[in-house]
Amino acid sequence: MSDHEPSTPSAATPPGAPSATDAPVSVSLPAPASRRPRRGELNFAAPRAGKPPQHLADLDSAGRKSAVEALGHKGFRAKQLSTHYFEHLTESPEEMTDLPKAIRDELVAALLPPLLTPVRTLTADKGTTIKSVYRLHDGALVESVLMRYPRRVTICISSQAGCGMNCPFCATGQEGLTRNMSTAEMVEQVVLAARSLRRGDVAGGAEGSPLRVSNVVFMGMGEALANYSSAIAAIHRMIDPAPEGLGMSARGITLSTVGLVPAMDKLAGEGIPLTLALSLHAPDDKLRNELVPINTRWSVDEAIDAAYRYFEATGRRVSIEYALIRGMNDQGWRADLLGTKLNARGRGWVHVNPIPLNPTPGSKWTASEPGVEREFVRRLRGLGVPTTVRDTRGSDIDGACGQLAAATA
Ligand code: SAH
């Protein structure tokens, strides 16, 4: 996985041997079958699966109160449960001593059911990067990646089991879409990360840096905007002040999309100042049709226009993601074309994040040569477009961009 941190030679960590910290637990349920997509095939309609159990984090505060009352309990119990879940990160029901024992078990069973069962945990980058593989209630496997930096902690979360967008260089895209995740399944990834951080399971961090998850990136499995309402509700749970939610800053949340233009416009109208990242990967339709098949529906110019409208509506600078693939999209003229197209909309509204391609199983593509990457960056900067190569965390545990796939579990 990755984050928005410029890579500097001094920050480079020699790839340590990846280690499985937890013995793999046998997976008793088969993952629901998702057919491998044909080349260029897109899939928006998530197969219907049994709904995940309802969880407190699926509901807003009014919904939580009604759910508690429907069980015959006083409404204020909802706030007590929310305080445990979002504010105190309480792990065990025994610690919820403000809830009478007689009703605690019932409330916990009804509103705090287990959603994500850890299957295994892999660490890299000297223990500062942790990939977790989870099994959902129906056997589907998803992953999240926790990355600790000196002064912030980023969790990269999944929004779907698999993905229907079928980008050929992305491991998840090759798996196809299994199903949408629920709001609580998204939020729970953040809560589990926050608990492990608090337990001291994550190495790194500067002295005195707070033990909080400060950033969430929707860059794990899935296309969050294809699971729109659940993703928006999850974002609300993250930013709502405690005990309603986790009380995070919206500015610390980044949602990455292949460029679903109507959903980008809808997001711009939500009034939430999160960062939008657009996976462009090519400035011309001919190549982007191949690399990001959604381009056959919304072209490069339409996607960039929508990104610009997002900036206009929110004032948030948009990120353009550009995986640099050797000999495919890394030519100088493509850097010039990208810079020209971005500048044509305006200045100061965008920055570019080139990402060295992470290898995925069965793919013939590799990352661009370092010199080619430098030249690509130099040309963009020369055109006045802020550009930072993204630091690639977790590549040795298949936790980097595009390497997350259920098959790795
Ligand atoms: N569906 C969202 C989130 C995907 S993952 C989206 O497409 O934006 C986040 C980023 O990683 C995307 O920009 C994606 O294109 C990129 N990515 C996927 N596979 C990659 C790979 N093998 N190497 C580098 N980046 C990759």
Side-chain angles (χ1 to χ4, degrees):
M1 228 325 93
S2 60
D3 198 4
H4 297 270
E5 186 134 285
S7 66
T8 54
S10 61
T13 326
S19 61
T21 51
D22 290 353
V25 175
S26 68
V27 181
S28 50
L29 287 165
S34 63
R35 187 178 52 75
R36 277 185 175 265
R38 287 185 297 275
R39 189 160 171 234
E41 183 188 357
L42 293 163
N43 186 359
F44 291 96
R48 288 202 171 275
K51 260 187 164 306
Q54 178 172 270
H55 187 282
L56 185 90
D58 287 314
L59 306 168
D60 61 15
S61 56
R64 290 173 209 168
K65 191 158 170 278
S66 329
V68 166
E69 286 168 351
L71 292 168
H73 300 294
K74 293 271 192 319
F76 72 90
R77 300 289 180 206
K79 189 166 176 193
Q80 290 178 307
L81 285 170
S82 301
T83 304
H84 281 298
Y85 186 71
F86 290 109
E87 194 168 352
H88 297 159
L89 305 171
T90 309
E91 298 206 28
S92 148
E94 281 78 65
E95 294 165 36
M96 301 181 184
T97 49
D98 54 343
L99 292 165
K101 179 87 183 93
I103 65 169
R104 190 191 302 158
D105 293 344
E106 185 195 354
L107 287 172
V108 167
L111 286 166
L112 295 172
L115 296 174
L116 308 178
T117 308
V119 175
R120 61 178 181 157
T121 309
L122 297 155
T123 63
D125 306 317
K126 299 186 176 136
T128 60
T129 301
I130 300 184
K131 178 172 99 165
S132 301
V133 183
Y134 297 111
R135 189 170 65 240
L136 307 181
H137 81 103
D138 55 357
L141 297 169
V142 298
E143 305 183 346
S144 63
V145 184
L146 182 59
M147 292 159 282
R148 188 165 186 189
Y149 296 88
R151 305 209 173 272
R152 65 196 162 85
V153 178
T154 298
I155 173 98
C156 172
I157 64 166
S158 297
S159 57
Q160 298 179 312
C163 184
M165 297 297 109
N166 201 7
C167 302
F169 57 90
C170 174
T172 310
Q174 301 318 291
E175 293 292 314
L177 178 60
T178 300
R179 72 163 168 89
N180 281 332
M181 293 176 74
S182 67
T183 294
E185 285 171 334
M186 290 181 232
V187 174
E188 179 90 334
Q189 295 170 69
V190 184
V191 168
L192 294 186
R195 288 181 189 161
S196 72
L197 190 63
R198 194 182 57 176
R199 277 199 307 269
D201 292 351
V202 193
E207 180 118 6
S209 67
L211 267 179
R212 301 183 62 245
V213 176
S214 50
N215 298 76
V216 174
V217 297
F218 284 81
M219 295 188 187
M221 289 181 168
E223 168 61 34
L225 291 187
N227 184 13
Y228 190 88
S229 54
S230 298
I232 293 295
I235 291 164
H236 277 295
R237 297 301 106 75
M238 292 171 203
I239 63 177
D240 285 352
E244 302 260 296
L246 289 165
M248 301 180 66
S249 161
R251 293 183 152 70
I253 301 177
T254 300
L255 187 147
S256 179
T257 178
V258 287
L260 304 184
V261 166
M264 290 164 77
D265 285 329
K266 199 166 165 199
L267 186 67
E270 298 282 350
I272 310 173
L274 39 90
T275 302
L276 181 69
L278 170 64
S279 296
L280 200 65
H281 306 312
D284 53 303
D285 289 321
K286 189 162 180 286
L287 180 57
R288 193 167 189 263
N289 283 342
E290 189 181 337
L291 294 180
V292 187
I294 197 68
N295 197 71
T296 56
R297 201 150 319 169
W298 292 287
S299 67
V300 168
D301 284 327
E302 288 169 324
I304 298 178
D305 283 340
Y308 185 71
R309 288 194 295 276
Y310 186 86
F311 164 76
E312 278 187 315
T314 63
R316 301 287 299 154
R317 202 163 72 149
V318 172
S319 286
I320 300 287
E321 295 160 284
Y322 200 105
L324 281 169
I325 312 175
R326 187 179 300 182
M328 280 294 282
N329 64 353
D330 58 0
Q331 303 80 0
W333 70 265
R334 283 201 160 93
D336 293 341
L337 181 59
L338 174 60
T340 305
K341 286 197 168 187
L342 298 178
N343 284 340
R345 272 80 181 176
R347 298 283 180 144
W349 70 278
V350 69
H351 73 278
V352 176
N353 254 181
I355 317 168
L357 185 83
N358 295 302
T360 58
S363 168
K364 51 190 185 304
W365 292 330
T366 55
S368 303
E369 304 276 2
V372 172
E373 177 185 300
R374 275 196 299 278
E375 174 64 6
F376 199 89
V377 170
R378 192 191 66 76
R379 288 196 184 218
L380 282 166
R381 288 188 181 147
L383 289 166
V385 179
T387 304
T388 39
V389 174
R390 194 181 284 178
D391 144 50
T392 297
R393 282 269 194 124
S395 51
D396 52 348
I397 50 170
D398 288 348
C401 289
Q403 294 184 309
L404 302 179
T408 61

